[in-house]
Amino acid sequence: MNIRKSMMLWVVLILMFTAACSNSNGTATPKEGVDSGTNQPSDAKKPEETYKITGATYIFGNPPPKDGRGQKMLNEKFNVDYFAEKIPNDNFVEKITAMVAGGSMPDQISFRSTNMDLFNRWAEQNAFFPLNDYIEEFDYLKAIPDELWLPFTVNGKIYGIPTWSPVESQSFMVRKDWLDNLGLPVPTSYEELKKVAIAFTKDDPDQNNKQDTYGLAIGQDINPTFAMGPYWQHDTWYHQDAEGNYIPGLISEGRKELISFFHDLYKEKALTSDFAVVNWADTNNEFYSGKAGVFLIAPRGMSQDYMEALLAIDPKAEFVVLEPFAAPDGSQGFTAGAGFSRFLTLNAKLANQPDKVRKMLEIHEFSRQYYQASKVTPDNKDFDWFYGNEGVGYNLDENNVRVPINDPASGTEPFLYFIDSTAWIGPEDDAEYPHAYSEPKLIDATQQLVDINKKYKLYYPPHVGIISAKETEVGAELTQLLMNEQTKMITGNRPVSDWDAMVQEYMSRGGAKIIEEYNAEIKARGYTERLWK
């Protein structure tokens, strides 16, 4: 027995000696990250992990195919297994809610701006990943202004990344040819606008010897608002009560002045006579058929077809865009848009996967690059790749504008597959709104609006992104109440002198609680003085 033990020990010693000699001669299998010839750390990098990244967002229309060329290009470029489900808009809330409730929330969700109620509820439940520690790490996140982080900040943590939307305000355009025919100046106040609207109604501005025109085109729910600054705007919390609380514009002194203005015009038949029952499409028709002389203009989303229809009726039509009116409190400017049209959230379960989070943010940053239309070229590799390569996914027309070659259903272009493919247009960038059109007069009117927005500061409201529990419960009902009662005041079915009684009804039916809840959050955000910039 002892002999056997001695022999086994001898064999083990021989093996150990052999291994040692082998090591000294460099013939052993090298350790990971160590050069086999020098025993020094190797410069070779560990192969990057291929992350599986899931997502969900909404889409208007049909989604691209799951296995399209653009999807494959995206995964190859970023070395990921990336798929963002595009859910038809009508089913988006229902499906996302089921995902979250069922514990199958994807890595990222891109919400509509109208989904702030879901965001706030789920953020309070810690469903999302806090982004505070990553903002300084990514230039595209650092570029987002502080006021746009506020709506996505809950208990000091930032849970959402806003997607760009214009902050530039809308205004109103007036038929300049009609002003010129009547020898009238461009109105700069509501009193001057009232005179213009009445003259457009009574003084034959189109010189056809018929009384077939009028002033303001307006439709149901008092839309458009014809607010020439936040002082008069119905959905901007600009005014404050005696205690310093911000109040909704619908019950403000400015709104009362505007309703009185409409009441005076209604008596003179200087606005759409049956506005209370006219839908938005028909409201547009009042202006673009040549009947009304004043209507809305926005920085983007105007209909060139409508404008061409008007110019076919009256080729001599000209337009001038109104600058904001000076308010009684001395302010002058428009209200900034919310600044975001959608927003991205990450799943809280990513907390222990920082490298995956960085990969997701890297991809998101790429998808938000802004390519100025007047400067794009296929030589820009990112642009060319993003839109599926020149001659395959797009061509450039004579104005250097990208023209898609394929229907989205082909899935040819990578941009179709990102969860967010909206460029972030910074304050120093030219958004080139007029480049969306080819009709010279629409281009000119849009450029006027762009120039006006550059001339004046914009007011940033304090309530953006706040959802009050009471408003969720009764807000829509109370808003409709105010719209109905204010419509009656315009038509004379209720006197404007009843304003205070109307406000009191709003307050007693839940409005006071809404104001209380909004202001608690406004104060928690640290918002004090009105913000103009």
Side-chain angles (χ1 to χ4, degrees), residues 10 112 218 284 351 380 385 465 518:
W10 177 249
R112 304 172 302 192
I218 190 170
N284 275 271
N380 183 323
W385 179 90
Y518 263 90

Side-chain angles (χ1 to χ4, degrees), residues 324-504:
F325 296 165
D329 65 356
S331 65
Q332 188 171 12
F334 286 125
T335 301
F340 67 96
S341 58
R342 60 197 298 164
F343 58 94
L344 182 72
T345 61
L346 306 188
N347 193 323
K349 293 180 180 179
L350 294 164
N352 296 322
Q353 303 178 72
D355 289 338
K356 181 174 177 178
V357 169
R358 290 186 177 93
K359 172 59 72 172
M360 293 168 65
L361 295 176
E362 173 196 337
I363 294 171
H364 191 225
E365 180 171 28
F366 181 90
S367 72
R368 287 159 53 115
Q369 291 187 74
Y370 174 51
Y371 307 103
Q372 188 172 328
S374 62
K375 298 179 180 178
V376 295
T377 166
D379 294 335
N380 183 323
K381 293 182 179 180
D382 286 348
F383 168 83
D384 187 60
W385 179 90
F386 194 58
Y387 291 109
N389 309 121
E390 185 183 28
V392 180
Y394 73 95
N395 285 316
L396 297 178
D397 68 13
E398 64 277 6
N399 298 313
N400 217 42
V401 174
R402 179 182 63 87
V403 180
I405 294 175
N406 309 287
D407 185 272
S410 72
T412 303
E413 304 97 320
F415 85 90
L416 296 167
Y417 291 93
F418 289 87
I419 198 165
D420 178 8
S421 58
T422 303
W424 181 271
I425 303 179
E428 303 305 319
D429 295 323
D430 181 359
E432 299 184 317
Y433 298 117
H435 281 259
Y437 315 111
S438 58
E439 165 49 53
K441 291 184 179 180
L442 184 54
I443 291 173
D444 176 71
T446 306
Q447 188 62 56
Q448 289 183 55
L449 180 59
V450 169
D451 294 341
I452 288 169
N453 273 280
K454 290 178 180 178
K455 183 176 178 180
Y456 294 92
K457 288 184 177 181
L458 297 173
Y459 170 66
Y460 285 78
H463 72 296
V464 174
I466 296 176
I467 300 294
S468 110
K470 193 64 177 179
E471 183 181 46
T472 301
E473 179 187 348
V474 300
E477 173 189 335
L478 292 183
T479 295
Q480 196 57 58
L481 165 73
L482 295 174
M483 287 292 186
N484 291 344
E485 297 308 305
Q486 291 171 17
T487 296
K488 293 176 186 176
M489 291 177 183
I490 293 171
T491 60
N493 292 318
R494 184 175 185 179
V496 180
S497 59
D498 271 1
W499 187 266
D500 291 344
M502 178 198 69
V503 171
Q504 185 54 45

Side-chain angles (χ1 to χ4, degrees), residues 232-354:
W232 300 280
Q233 195 161 328
H234 78 289
D235 57 354
T236 295
W237 291 53
Y238 179 86
H239 292 261
Q240 293 171 278
D241 62 19
E243 287 74 42
N245 294 309
Y246 287 93
I247 63 174
L250 269 172
I251 62 170
S252 69
E253 186 63 28
R255 179 69 169 185
K256 179 182 177 181
E257 293 176 13
L258 193 53
I259 295 301
S260 296
F261 166 77
F262 289 141
H263 172 73
D264 292 346
L265 292 186
Y266 186 84
K267 286 194 301 184
E268 300 288 349
K269 303 186 186 302
L271 54 73
T272 309
S273 59
D274 54 348
F275 76 93
V277 295
V278 175
N279 64 31
W280 183 241
D282 289 340
T283 307
N284 275 271
N285 188 59
E286 291 295 300
F287 180 78
Y288 290 106
S289 65
K291 297 177 186 177
V294 189
F295 194 53
L296 177 78
I297 183 169
R300 65 174 182 171
M302 298 295 290
S303 170
Q304 180 157 300
D305 289 342
Y306 281 170
M307 179 62 77
E308 289 174 345
L310 173 56
L311 294 174
I313 295 169
D314 190 352
K316 295 182 180 179
E318 300 286 345
F319 310 94
V320 61
V321 177
L322 297 180
E323 298 190 13
F325 296 165
D329 65 356
S331 65
Q332 188 171 12
F334 286 125
T335 301
F340 67 96
S341 58
R342 60 197 298 164
F343 58 94
L344 182 72
T345 61
L346 306 188
N347 193 323
K349 293 180 180 179
L350 294 164
N352 296 322
Q353 303 178 72

